[in-house]
Amino acid sequence: MPFRLTRRAWMTGAGAAALAATAYGTAHTTVRTSPPTRRAATGFPDGFRWGTATSSYQVEGATQVDGRGPSIWDTFAREPGRIRDGSSGETSVDHYHRYKEDVALMKWMGAQTYRFSIAWPRVFPDGRGKANPKGFDFYDRLVDELLAAGIEPFATLYHWDLPQTLQERGGWESRDTAEAFGDYASRVASKLTDRVRQVFTINEMQTFVEQGHRSGVFAPGLKLDGARLNQVRHHAVLAHGLAVQAVRASGRRGTRVGPAENIATAVPAIETVENIRAAELATRELNAPYLTVMMEGRYTDAYLAAAGADAPRFTPQDLKTISSKVDFVGLNVYAPSKYVLASEAAPGFVEVPLQASHPHMASPWLTLGPEVLYWAPRHAANLWKVKDIFITENGASATDEPATDGTVYDVDRVMYLRNCLMHLQRATDAGVPVRGYFLWSLLDNFEWADGYATRFGIVHVDYATQKRTPKLSASFYREVIARNAPA
Ligand code: FCB
């Protein structure tokens, strides 16, 4: 779908042309810029943690069960033409009722962690005020099941399913929504952090803000420009900061909290010291209204200059809140945003266009560039001195046609993952502090505006029967986890 081409390239101009060719699957050149560590060159560091990720609206279903309130995705999916196959998350893969079977699958894989999200309207049907105890009960059951299986829960507070009532009061255009998010974070923290010790605030601000409020292809389907869009961006980072503070204030001591952001990543087209520096500079600017302001506590000069009179309205205190200290940074990493070379002219880098022949996975936006798994965490570590990084998402849409024996031999996904993991291991070998990896996704599920037409799971779901069948990639991942190395 053409709109997906721009999904991860909000400042880069249109899609494919924004990226440069690089041979898929070729061995990386090892220009080491950090000293090699004591780790064996064949695997990930001891204690590296493996898991899978999902999100509430994409897997839970049960949208009208046990007092859950409506979310903006329920509303959006009902509008004709919004979802490619006219579907919604109403039933999805029924994780709400089948979570035990799903946890058993994780256990079979050997996963040590699971990243799920809490549906805000399930626990606060109106967004604020009265809690829905039955909603909390579900997360209690899920967490207990995970812990009994020896799998550590990592909870994301917001993966895009805003309570509809808050949208009606202005949604992310209103500062009240950021404040409501802080209150919600505080109440979830007091309820769950006796067992959930790791919390992500917001999943991919960049995606939900840009796709939901600029291009309008995601809920709530708005096409704002100028000042209004910049204000939404500001409220999203403010909400993150308020949630960090809320988790610290209301969570059990030692609860760890941070963002899960899809950092837009510039990759040096050729690895020279100058080009690497240029790629860092470009990455800092590409993320100016998101990760950069969260890490630095200021909007970059270039961002403010480009915004001009449309710059967001904010106070110095906002910037302090936004940059509240986090315990880790989660990075969702799929494809490079740009390939760059150094330039003597401002802004210090030029973009290398992507060739039309450049390959991609089943989703056109998912161009192949597995080296981004090296550069994204390395840039974050270098630019902002981040000490603990998780890859909170990485994965691929693939062909996924079951063979006559019923198995999905998703060799294309296996190749994608293997290459990504080799580049990620290059990062850990070089001392980049990546502590764990969450594969997107455990199961096929509702892929937003693509509906069920695009599958990202390593476990196939027959949507008519809800039967789960591990794909070849699930066996591959099981092997990776067992070896603690790309398999
Ligand atoms: C990420 C989203 C996730 C899923 C994957 C494919 O941007 O966070 O929900 O859609 O892409």
Side-chain angles (χ1 to χ4, degrees):
M1 300 305 289
F3 67 81
R4 298 295 296 237
L5 286 173
T6 58
R7 185 165 168 198
R8 277 161 222 286
W10 71 279
M11 285 176 90
T12 63
L19 304 174
T22 168
Y24 177 57
T26 53
H28 53 254
T29 48
T30 44
V31 177
R32 279 191 195 279
T33 48
S34 318
T37 63
R38 61 194 153 68
R39 297 176 192 99
T42 50
F44 284 87
D46 289 345
F48 192 86
R49 318 201 51 206
W50 299 97
T52 57
T54 64
S55 87
S56 46
Y57 191 72
Q58 292 178 278
V59 299
E60 284 179 4
T63 54
Q64 294 174 47
V65 169
D66 292 339
R68 176 187 176 278
S71 80
I72 55 172
W73 272 93
D74 299 282
T75 311
F76 186 72
R78 267 198 302 275
E79 293 172 15
R82 294 297 202 179
I83 311 296
R84 203 197 326 176
D85 56 7
S87 65
S88 76
E90 190 173 342
T91 307
S92 188
V93 294
D94 199 26
H95 185 61
Y96 190 80
H97 297 110
R98 294 169 198 264
Y99 66 95
K100 288 193 178 179
E101 184 183 348
D102 296 339
V103 172
L105 279 164
M106 297 175 210
K107 193 170 178 185
W108 167 79
M109 269 171 218
Q112 301 127 0
T113 58
Y114 176 51
R115 174 175 172 246
F116 63 97
S117 81
I118 294 167
W120 186 351
R122 195 178 288 291
V123 293
F124 290 98
D126 292 324
R128 18 182 24 152
K130 216 167 149 304
N132 173 29
K134 286 191 172 165
F136 272 115
D137 288 350
F138 168 64
Y139 298 106
D140 276 335
R141 290 194 296 276
L142 173 63
V143 164
D144 290 343
E145 189 74 15
L146 288 163
L147 292 173
I151 298 169
E152 179 168 19
F154 282 62
T156 306
L157 295 172
Y158 185 70
H159 201 125
W160 310 351
D161 39 3
L162 186 75
Q164 180 63 31
T165 45
L166 295 185
Q167 186 60 41
E168 275 146 30
R169 285 185 232 137
W172 289 104
E173 285 200 72
S174 162
R175 192 179 169 99
D176 288 350
T177 296
E179 278 161 17
F181 184 64
D183 295 345
Y184 154 73
S186 148
R187 295 180 69 182
V188 172
S190 34
K191 190 86 182 63
L192 289 180
T193 54
D194 57 336
R195 287 153 297 150
V196 180
R197 316 288 296 131
Q198 323 263 2
V199 176
F200 296 109
T201 54
I202 298 183
N203 179 74
E204 296 197 1
M205 293 188 213
Q206 177 138 207
T207 307
F208 96 77
V209 171
E210 304 299 325
Q211 304 306 329
H213 303 81
R214 182 176 56 94
S215 65
V217 297
F218 282 4
L222 301 176
K223 291 186 179 173
L224 307 177
D225 50 27
R228 288 173 69 186
L229 178 62
N230 285 331
Q231 206 58 40
V232 169
R233 291 172 173 158
H234 181 71
H235 291 155
V237 282
L238 181 64
H240 155 82
L242 290 168
V244 171
Q245 295 184 349
V247 171
R248 297 233 189 279
S250 308
R252 212 184 86 184
R253 235 176 126 223
T255 306
R256 287 157 49 87
V257 59
E261 181 58 356
N262 55 322
I263 181 175
T265 307
V267 166
I270 301 168
E271 292 187 18
T272 64
V273 172
E274 295 75 22
N275 293 341
I276 292 170
R277 181 69 202 129
E280 272 179 15
L281 268 176
T283 298
R284 180 169 177 266
E285 287 307 337
L286 280 169
N287 296 282
Y290 299 108
L291 208 47
T292 304
V293 68
M294 284 155 53
M295 296 292 118
E296 299 184 12
R298 59 186 295 266
Y299 287 111
T300 66
D301 297 339
Y303 175 69
L304 290 178
D310 288 339
R313 283 169 285 107
F314 59 88
T315 65
Q317 181 54 42
D318 283 0
L319 294 178
K320 285 201 182 125
T321 304
I322 290 166
S323 57
S324 300
K325 192 178 167 319
V326 294
D327 299 298
F328 46 66
V329 171
L331 302 176
N332 290 6
V333 184
Y334 289 89
S337 294
K338 279 177 193 278
Y339 287 84
V340 299
L341 295 171
S343 155
E344 274 169 24
F349 54 87
V350 282
E351 190 174 342
V352 178
L354 192 73
Q355 305 302 310
S357 60
H358 192 91
H360 60 76
M361 298 299 290
S363 309
W365 59 266
L366 223 178
T367 50
L368 294 179
E371 65 276 15
V372 70
L373 269 289
Y374 170 70
W375 291 107
R378 183 186 143 149
H379 288 336
N382 278 0
L383 280 167
W384 303 304
K385 310 292 164 251
V386 180
K387 296 276 184 299
D388 275 297
I389 297 173
F390 285 95
I391 301 301
T392 29
E393 285 182 26
N394 169 244
S397 49
T399 315
D400 285 344
E401 284 299 327
T404 42
D405 66 0
T407 310
V408 173
Y409 295 102
D410 54 341
V411 178
D412 42 0
R413 180 178 286 109
V414 170
M415 287 172 68
Y416 172 92
L417 292 170
R418 180 185 294 123
N419 279 284
C420 287
L421 291 175
M422 285 169 65
H423 286 275
L424 185 62
Q425 196 203 317
R426 179 185 173 199
T428 56
D429 279 351
V432 178
V434 184
R435 311 295 181 204
Y437 172 95
F438 296 88
L439 195 157
W440 184 274
S441 182
L442 175 67
L443 304 159
D444 290 334
N445 61 54
F446 177 75
E447 178 49 22
W448 308 115
D450 284 352
Y452 298 97
T454 304
R455 292 173 180 266
F456 270 85
I458 56 173
V459 173
H460 179 268
V461 180
D462 177 335
Y463 293 122
T465 62
Q466 296 292 356
K467 186 170 182 308
R468 276 89 162 124
T469 312
K471 303 177 191 176
L472 185 69
S473 54
S475 301
F476 162 79
Y477 194 45
R478 190 172 185 236
E479 197 62 37
V480 167
I481 297 173
R483 290 195 212 170
N484 199 32

